Amino acid sequence: MSKLLKSYDRSRIPLYIQVASVMRQRIQSGQWAPGQRISTLEELEREFQVARVTVRQAIGVLQDDGLLHAQQGRGTYVSDLTPSRHWFKLETTWDELIESIRDNVPQHISLEENVAAPALQANDGKAADAYVLLRSVQYRDNEPYSLVNLHLARYIFDLNPKLFMRAPALSTIAGLSQVKVAYAHQTLVIGSADPETADRMMVAIGAPTAECHCVVIDDTGTAIYVADIIYRSDCIKLQIDLLGNAPTPAARMAPTEKAPKRPKAKQA
Amino acid sequence: MSKLLKSYDRSRIPLYIQVASVMRQRIQSGQWAPGQRISTLEELEREFQVARVTVRQAIGVLQDDGLLHAQQGRGTYVSDLTPSRHWFKLETTWDELIESIRDNVPQHISLEENVAAPALQANDGKAADAYVLLRSVQYRDNEPYSLVNLHLARYIFDLNPKLFMRAPALSTIAGLSQVKVAYAHQTLVIGSADPETADRMMVAIGAPTAECHCVVIDDTGTAIYVADIIYRSDCIKLQIDLLGNAPTPAARMAPTEKAPKRPKAKQA
DNA sequence: CTCAATTTGTTCGTATGTATG
DNA sequence: ACATACATACGAACAAATTGA
């Protein structure tokens, strides 16, 4: 261990992983541009206060990921085509949210008919008499990006069970004229993947996740929709318009007159 | 390595750390309640498909953190007083944001007078002629929770340099009658701590962070305030009101007399 | 009180991974 | 590339504390 292990030992994570993590960040943020030659091993040794071999291990990790390639006698270069992270935009207003998920096709894992009420937080309203639990995985480009645990009030689900199994529940609710949505909110915290999540999201156990708790409350103050959604952290981006007058195109042009548009299937 | 290394080897992070990470999550989420006896070593071995010693190492980590205590012959228990995470609420509307940071005292690191323009993203407007760079750390209960890199348009800073050094820049801008705020937005992604961030935030290198990019654009389309803020991930909570009619108490009951009256745009 | 069942604690041997100089 | 030291992980066996019958 180096003499300057100051902030390293706050973590029990292998040094070369930590170094690789920082270098990955620099590449993804553009601080190290595609095609650019990065610092020499000696410079990196000094910067990170680690042994030469440790730096090389870190570089090895990023080479495996295709982000770097080292060449003897020349130096180490950032790959020309660093795959830009494809951000999945998490919308922050009802209309945009409905619009953005309209064509999603949930890949259902299970449907449990008689389940306990979901864990409700402050301002989540009161629990309905009965819930069904819908569990699903969301895909994009055949890659899983979120795991959904949805508690749906039983009587809401019964209004159109088939549609709830086929289309995003939120869109379906928005299209049900019998349902009066009074409040809707979500909270987001950063967590880490448990074994099941890790398995389904194809990430490591303990990898960072965004945990979203989304609740819809009807005009009787009942929480009719309680979704706990776990997103992979590496594909999530929130965009928050602080003044509510964003000049973005589209977004809310069409008043969601009608129900979900019969989602077209994307993946198998 | 066990034969069932299925999702483990997606990460090169030590197994016992991964296991500890999952158990910590269960405690913090309340799935393992305070005072409760957790599964036996044998059960945990089976669940995580790891050796006994590995489970014990994970438990050791959480014992060091004061979250668990094991007793020979009895079992392993969750501590009675698991310190509930005190969330720092990240507001999502202009008025609430201003209000929430009003009394913050930034702990300045540096002020650079002649710096290059900040990296601007889509919809961030055009760059000002000159910027100053203000770097600071935010504290709460003497614990650092965020690192701020603020690019402030030079001419804005010059309007009241002393105040900008003393109070949160956003509040200051909101109180400047000369400044017309046209748009304001922020984006949030999940990242990982580089060495400097790790050092200042007192977390491990590579620990997950919330990276917030907050931009204020004036009526000439110039980005006058560009803040890149890195939060510790374990103290951040976003609360998003999807319909904009949240029945939350307080928050805005007191008509913040001095606050900016200008931007009041809000959808019904 | 003793016994047996349960549960955590300890140790050994081995193999591989991590980090230094 | 090498020699060294220490960390990680496995499986298995055994020891020690607790509990309740």
Side-chain angles (χ1 to χ4, degrees), chain A residues 197-264:
Chain A
T197 306
D199 196 41
R200 296 199 189 276
M201 292 298 102
M202 313 277 285
V203 296
I205 291 180
T209 56
E211 299 180 0
C212 199
H213 178 74
C214 182
V215 179
V216 175
I217 301 170
D218 74 3
D219 54 356
T220 69
T222 306
I224 57 173
Y225 170 105
V226 182
D228 286 289
I229 310 176
I230 298 177
Y231 295 91
R232 288 180 57 148
S233 70
D234 59 358
C235 62
I236 272 294
K237 180 173 198 162
L238 256 84
Q239 220 148 346
I240 301 161
D241 179 20
L242 291 166
L243 292 175
N245 63 349
T248 61
R252 95 183 42 185
M253 37 192 309
T256 56
E257 187 71 57
K258 54 226 183 115
K261 288 200 88 92
R262 183 184 338 287
K264 55 178 179 172

Side-chain angles (χ1 to χ4, degrees), chain B residues 221-256:
Chain B
T222 307
I224 56 173
Y225 169 104
V226 182
D228 286 288
I229 310 176
I230 299 178
Y231 295 93
R232 289 180 57 145
S233 70
D234 59 357
C235 63
I236 271 295
K237 182 172 198 162
L238 255 84
Q239 221 148 343
I240 300 159
D241 180 19
L242 291 166
L243 291 176
N245 63 351
T248 61
R252 96 181 37 186
M253 45 186 308
T256 54

